[in-house]
Amino acid sequence: MSTKYIFVTGGVTSSLGKGIISASLAKLLQARGFSVTIQKLDPYINIDPGTMNPYEHGECYVTEDGAETDLDLGHYERFLNVSTSQANNVTTGKIYQAVINKERRGDYLGKTVQIIPHITDEIKRRVKLLGKNNKYDFVITEIGGTVGDIESLPFVEAVRQLKWEMPDKTLVIHLTLVPYLAAAGELKTKPTQHSVKMLLENGIQPDILVLRTEKSLTQEIRKKVALFCNVDINSVIESKDVSTIYEVPLLMHKEKLDTTVLAKLKVESNKEPELKPWIDFITNLKNPQHEITIALVGKYVELVDAYKSINESLIHAAAMNKCKVHIKRIHSENITEENVEEKLKGVNGILVAPGFGHRGIEGKIAAVKLARENNIPFFGICLGMQCAVIEFGRHILNLTDAHSTEMNHDTKNPVIDIMEEQKQISEKGGTMRLGAYPCSLSKNTKTYQAYKKLEISERHRHRYEFNNHYLELYKKNGMVPVGINVDTNLVEIIEIPTHKWFVGVQFHPEYKSTVLNPHPLFVAFIKAAIS
Ligand code: GLN
């Protein structure tokens, strides 16, 4: 079948969950046997979110091919269980960069280069790129931002043009908010009406409206929205708040979002979506037999989105273990040698998060020490692993000034040091060791027990590494490298074999955990925390 393009826009306010709605629709179409991919268009000027502070935009999600992308791509992968790539996240920065490069090459042959048609053409090209050779039955494109923002205008205009050019192959879903006014005791549709008007001003009639709401929509409200917004009543879809995002696909199915989309695009599908594995996951999630608390030690803990993938990986792994996990977020800047015991009291496992820079590093190291000395299951990810190496160096190997040269350039014991290939690099954007690299595991280790295979591949995002100069010393004293990249000899995983479960990884396992494929290391970590 020829590729169909579905656009998801948002109105009234941000944070309505366009990413989750896109991923849920994709899931339903995939569960009916269609091939689907999801793309995010972000209206900011950064080339990618790689250089942004997590406070700005939440976590930076890394794809197999090493793109630093918006965290919504994480939702797409977790829901669909298929990989995304560079092409799945396009920013205004990338669009302008491509157009300006073309202009400098002289490709525009003396023409004045303008937002319309040159910028919009480039946007359209990026959308259609995913539909090339009809590789996918559906390309779902989520437009970041809110309709009415100056920044998203070129994207909205590109959608208008695509809809005009391919009326039978395109569909626009608009997500809005129907607020409940407690004082009036009523749900209000006016913001939705206004937001659809704004889309209409931009030349787009949405085909389907998804209304985010706290309370169920009455038939009256649905009728009213349908009438005022020129859509049929079946195209008014309710999206009520739920306790877990993973319920949204089921909710959307109940609201017949998938059936309506297929009918509008005239795509036949006689079978119901195969959602049994998904429902099994939710059943496990909602009927736990155990309950544990994991401390997540990091410096962006005020913002759940900053560690989104770790959060979700813990949930996937807990469900697999029929366990409820409470995630206790602890700010590493507030942890000291003196208060660490009290701060981490009663937790069943400690996860030290990835990160950059000096802030909060000593608190992370104190948390590692507590885990190591008290046989508390420990999972260190990227900087978390590096902290474990530093802690071991300082307190077991008596290298009292052991550090990473990222934090202390002049330390006499640089147990973590900059990678050779990074030494000449000064630009910050997209220059880390990024994306998937292979890693060979040692047998008879906790890691091998988790993966049950010797060759693995994981995604990376770092500049510093374990300093192999210290390898023998660490090994002799009980911290063992159990995963190595054989091409570069880079230590990817360390363990303390005498500890109940103490694993540090230089890569980011959290990017690969999905609902139907929870990550083996997270599963093993949770298991250790339960026992
Ligand atoms: N700052 C460390 C490095 O660059 C760790 C990076 C991370 O945790 N992602 O090596």
Side-chain angles (χ1 to χ4, degrees), residues 353-357 381-384 386 406-407 416 419 432 461-465 506 508:
F356 295 84
I381 299 181
C382 208
L383 183 62
Q386 298 177 353
E406 180 182 2
M407 325 299 164
I416 303 291
M419 285 182 278
M432 283 188 247
R461 184 171 188 249
H462 65 122
R463 295 185 203 281
Y464 293 80
E465 63 172 327
Q506 184 56 77
H508 290 266

mmCIF file of all heavy atoms in Angstrom, residues 353-357 381-384 386 406-407 416 419 432 461-465 506 508, ligand 1:
data_model
loop_
_atom_site.group_PDB
_atom_site.id
_atom_site.type_symbol
_atom_site.label_atom_id
_atom_site.label_comp_id
_atom_site.label_asym_id
_atom_site.label_seq_id
_atom_site.Cartn_x
_atom_site.Cartn_y
_atom_site.Cartn_z
ATOM 1 N N ALA A 353 22.760 8.064 38.351
ATOM 2 C CA ALA A 353 22.363 8.485 36.998
ATOM 3 C C ALA A 353 23.535 9.010 36.164
ATOM 4 O O ALA A 353 24.569 9.401 36.708
ATOM 5 C CB ALA A 353 21.305 9.573 37.117
ATOM 6 N N PRO A 354 23.314 9.080 34.860
ATOM 7 C CA PRO A 354 24.284 9.719 33.965
ATOM 8 C C PRO A 354 24.365 11.218 34.253
ATOM 9 O O PRO A 354 23.498 11.767 34.940
ATOM 10 C CB PRO A 354 23.687 9.508 32.571
ATOM 11 C CG PRO A 354 22.602 8.524 32.723
ATOM 12 C CD PRO A 354 22.151 8.559 34.127
ATOM 13 N N GLY A 355 25.358 11.869 33.705
ATOM 14 C CA GLY A 355 25.436 13.313 33.887
ATOM 15 C C GLY A 355 26.749 13.883 33.381
ATOM 16 O O GLY A 355 27.636 13.162 32.944
ATOM 17 N N PHE A 356 26.830 15.197 33.486
ATOM 18 C CA PHE A 356 28.007 15.910 33.005
ATOM 19 C C PHE A 356 28.407 16.946 34.044
ATOM 20 O O PHE A 356 27.550 17.516 34.724
ATOM 21 C CB PHE A 356 27.702 16.615 31.680
ATOM 22 C CG PHE A 356 27.401 15.627 30.580
ATOM 23 C CD1 PHE A 356 26.118 15.111 30.436
ATOM 24 C CD2 PHE A 356 28.401 15.199 29.727
ATOM 25 C CE1 PHE A 356 25.847 14.177 29.445
ATOM 26 C CE2 PHE A 356 28.139 14.268 28.735
ATOM 27 C CZ PHE A 356 26.856 13.753 28.588
ATOM 28 N N GLY A 357 29.695 17.191 34.159
ATOM 29 C CA GLY A 357 30.167 18.287 34.986
ATOM 30 C C GLY A 357 30.258 17.963 36.464
ATOM 31 O O GLY A 357 29.842 16.903 36.926
ATOM 32 N N ILE A 381 25.029 4.126 35.778
ATOM 33 C CA ILE A 381 24.895 4.308 34.337
ATOM 34 C C ILE A 381 25.749 5.487 33.871
ATOM 35 O O ILE A 381 25.585 6.609 34.365
ATOM 36 C CB ILE A 381 23.416 4.510 33.939
ATOM 37 C CG1 ILE A 381 22.606 3.267 34.328
ATOM 38 C CG2 ILE A 381 23.294 4.797 32.440
ATOM 39 C CD1 ILE A 381 21.142 3.335 33.953
ATOM 40 N N CYS A 382 26.653 5.223 32.968
ATOM 41 C CA CYS A 382 27.538 6.215 32.371
ATOM 42 C C CYS A 382 28.305 6.975 33.450
ATOM 43 O O CYS A 382 29.194 6.392 34.069
ATOM 44 C CB CYS A 382 26.774 7.117 31.416
ATOM 45 S SG CYS A 382 27.844 7.756 30.111
ATOM 46 N N LEU A 383 27.957 8.225 33.767
ATOM 47 C CA LEU A 383 28.662 8.902 34.852
ATOM 48 C C LEU A 383 28.516 8.101 36.151
ATOM 49 O O LEU A 383 29.422 8.103 36.991
ATOM 50 C CB LEU A 383 28.122 10.328 35.040
ATOM 51 C CG LEU A 383 28.840 11.156 36.095
ATOM 52 C CD1 LEU A 383 30.300 11.375 35.746
ATOM 53 C CD2 LEU A 383 28.154 12.508 36.289
ATOM 54 N N GLY A 384 27.420 7.399 36.317
ATOM 55 C CA GLY A 384 27.197 6.563 37.506
ATOM 56 C C GLY A 384 28.244 5.466 37.604
ATOM 57 O O GLY A 384 28.750 5.158 38.697
ATOM 58 N N GLN A 386 31.214 5.699 36.173
ATOM 59 C CA GLN A 386 32.482 6.397 36.402
ATOM 60 C C GLN A 386 32.638 6.740 37.885
ATOM 61 O O GLN A 386 33.726 6.636 38.446
ATOM 62 C CB GLN A 386 32.548 7.648 35.519
ATOM 63 C CG GLN A 386 32.515 7.304 34.014
ATOM 64 C CD GLN A 386 32.519 8.527 33.098
ATOM 65 O OE1 GLN A 386 32.409 9.671 33.561
ATOM 66 N NE2 GLN A 386 32.630 8.302 31.793
ATOM 67 N N GLU A 406 37.377 14.976 33.766
ATOM 68 C CA GLU A 406 36.274 15.899 33.464
ATOM 69 C C GLU A 406 36.051 16.849 34.641
ATOM 70 O O GLU A 406 35.732 18.023 34.454
ATOM 71 C CB GLU A 406 34.979 15.108 33.180
ATOM 72 C CG GLU A 406 33.787 15.998 32.866
ATOM 73 C CD GLU A 406 32.485 15.231 32.624
ATOM 74 O OE1 GLU A 406 32.479 13.990 32.729
ATOM 75 O OE2 GLU A 406 31.476 15.893 32.344
ATOM 76 N N MET A 407 36.224 16.325 35.859
ATOM 77 C CA MET A 407 35.944 17.127 37.061
ATOM 78 C C MET A 407 37.218 17.752 37.624
ATOM 79 O O MET A 407 37.186 18.822 38.202
ATOM 80 C CB MET A 407 35.317 16.273 38.175
ATOM 81 C CG MET A 407 34.382 15.178 37.722
ATOM 82 S SD MET A 407 32.970 15.821 36.836
ATOM 83 C CE MET A 407 32.367 14.326 36.064
ATOM 84 N N ILE A 416 39.369 7.892 35.502
ATOM 85 C CA ILE A 416 38.500 8.106 34.346
ATOM 86 C C ILE A 416 39.152 9.231 33.537
ATOM 87 O O ILE A 416 39.443 10.299 34.083
ATOM 88 C CB ILE A 416 37.076 8.529 34.771
ATOM 89 C CG1 ILE A 416 36.424 7.505 35.701
ATOM 90 C CG2 ILE A 416 36.212 8.824 33.553
ATOM 91 C CD1 ILE A 416 36.063 6.176 35.068
ATOM 92 N N MET A 419 38.637 10.141 26.271
ATOM 93 C CA MET A 419 38.973 9.156 25.242
ATOM 94 C C MET A 419 39.931 9.775 24.238
ATOM 95 O O MET A 419 39.820 10.965 23.922
ATOM 96 C CB MET A 419 37.693 8.700 24.517
ATOM 97 C CG MET A 419 36.851 7.751 25.339
ATOM 98 S SD MET A 419 35.390 7.192 24.447
ATOM 99 C CE MET A 419 34.296 8.563 24.715
ATOM 100 N N MET A 432 30.174 13.755 20.742
ATOM 101 C CA MET A 432 30.529 12.718 21.725
ATOM 102 C C MET A 432 30.627 11.367 21.035
ATOM 103 O O MET A 432 30.316 11.231 19.844
ATOM 104 C CB MET A 432 29.441 12.659 22.804
ATOM 105 C CG MET A 432 29.547 13.779 23.803
ATOM 106 S SD MET A 432 28.413 13.527 25.164
ATOM 107 C CE MET A 432 27.301 14.877 24.914
ATOM 108 N N ARG A 461 26.792 7.760 24.921
ATOM 109 C CA ARG A 461 26.814 9.223 24.844
ATOM 110 C C ARG A 461 27.809 9.726 25.883
ATOM 111 O O ARG A 461 27.437 10.043 27.009
ATOM 112 C CB ARG A 461 25.410 9.780 25.128
ATOM 113 C CG ARG A 461 25.317 11.292 24.986
ATOM 114 C CD ARG A 461 23.880 11.760 25.054
ATOM 115 N NE ARG A 461 23.780 13.152 24.726
ATOM 116 C CZ ARG A 461 23.457 14.116 25.621
ATOM 117 N NH1 ARG A 461 23.198 13.805 26.864
ATOM 118 N NH2 ARG A 461 23.390 15.370 25.230
ATOM 119 N N HIS A 462 29.065 9.735 25.540
ATOM 120 C CA HIS A 462 30.081 10.162 26.518
ATOM 121 C C HIS A 462 31.377 10.573 25.836
ATOM 122 O O HIS A 462 31.571 10.323 24.644
ATOM 123 C CB HIS A 462 30.363 9.027 27.511
ATOM 124 C CG HIS A 462 30.980 7.803 26.889
ATOM 125 N ND1 HIS A 462 32.180 7.286 27.285
ATOM 126 C CD2 HIS A 462 30.560 6.998 25.879
ATOM 127 C CE1 HIS A 462 32.476 6.212 26.558
ATOM 128 N NE2 HIS A 462 31.510 6.014 25.701
ATOM 129 N N ARG A 463 32.250 11.231 26.626
ATOM 130 C CA ARG A 463 33.579 11.612 26.137
ATOM 131 C C ARG A 463 34.686 10.958 26.950
ATOM 132 O O ARG A 463 35.825 10.918 26.550
ATOM 133 C CB ARG A 463 33.779 13.133 26.268
ATOM 134 C CG ARG A 463 32.858 13.959 25.408
ATOM 135 C CD ARG A 463 33.207 15.450 25.513
ATOM 136 N NE ARG A 463 32.056 16.261 25.151
ATOM 137 C CZ ARG A 463 31.677 16.502 23.895
ATOM 138 N NH1 ARG A 463 32.368 16.008 22.900
ATOM 139 N NH2 ARG A 463 30.612 17.232 23.652
ATOM 140 N N TYR A 464 34.347 10.489 28.166
ATOM 141 C CA TYR A 464 35.368 9.976 29.078
ATOM 142 C C TYR A 464 35.213 8.466 29.219
ATOM 143 O O TYR A 464 34.151 7.912 28.920
ATOM 144 C CB TYR A 464 35.251 10.668 30.438
ATOM 145 C CG TYR A 464 35.597 12.134 30.340
ATOM 146 C CD1 TYR A 464 34.662 13.058 29.857
ATOM 147 C CD2 TYR A 464 36.875 12.594 30.648
ATOM 148 C CE1 TYR A 464 34.978 14.400 29.710
ATOM 149 C CE2 TYR A 464 37.201 13.941 30.506
ATOM 150 C CZ TYR A 464 36.256 14.842 30.041
ATOM 151 O OH TYR A 464 36.581 16.163 29.891
ATOM 152 N N GLU A 465 36.296 7.814 29.684
ATOM 153 C CA GLU A 465 36.275 6.362 29.781
ATOM 154 C C GLU A 465 37.142 5.881 30.953
ATOM 155 O O GLU A 465 37.951 6.645 31.490
ATOM 156 C CB GLU A 465 36.819 5.755 28.482
ATOM 157 C CG GLU A 465 38.284 6.134 28.247
ATOM 158 C CD GLU A 465 38.934 5.412 27.078
ATOM 159 O OE1 GLU A 465 38.574 4.268 26.830
ATOM 160 O OE2 GLU A 465 39.811 6.020 26.429
ATOM 161 N N GLN A 506 29.135 1.811 31.006
ATOM 162 C CA GLN A 506 29.524 3.067 30.368
ATOM 163 C C GLN A 506 28.460 3.518 29.362
ATOM 164 O O GLN A 506 28.354 4.683 29.018
ATOM 165 C CB GLN A 506 30.885 2.871 29.681
ATOM 166 C CG GLN A 506 31.459 4.106 29.057
ATOM 167 C CD GLN A 506 31.593 5.253 30.039
ATOM 168 O OE1 GLN A 506 32.491 5.287 30.856
ATOM 169 N NE2 GLN A 506 30.668 6.194 29.991
ATOM 170 N N HIS A 508 24.227 3.421 27.790
ATOM 171 C CA HIS A 508 22.901 3.792 28.301
ATOM 172 C C HIS A 508 21.880 2.697 27.984
ATOM 173 O O HIS A 508 21.192 2.774 26.959
ATOM 174 C CB HIS A 508 22.443 5.103 27.672
ATOM 175 C CG HIS A 508 23.214 6.288 28.131
ATOM 176 N ND1 HIS A 508 22.814 7.087 29.181
ATOM 177 C CD2 HIS A 508 24.389 6.805 27.687
ATOM 178 C CE1 HIS A 508 23.702 8.050 29.356
ATOM 179 N NE2 HIS A 508 24.663 7.906 28.468
HETATM 180 N N1 GLN B 1 30.249 13.115 31.543
HETATM 181 C C1 GLN B 1 30.631 11.743 31.302
HETATM 182 C C2 GLN B 1 31.337 11.563 29.976
HETATM 183 O O1 GLN B 1 31.211 12.404 29.108
HETATM 184 C C3 GLN B 1 29.430 10.832 31.397
HETATM 185 C C4 GLN B 1 28.412 11.084 30.347
HETATM 186 C C5 GLN B 1 27.066 10.484 30.642
HETATM 187 O O2 GLN B 1 26.746 10.169 31.786
HETATM 188 N N2 GLN B 1 26.236 10.355 29.644
HETATM 189 O O3 GLN B 1 32.021 10.589 29.784
#
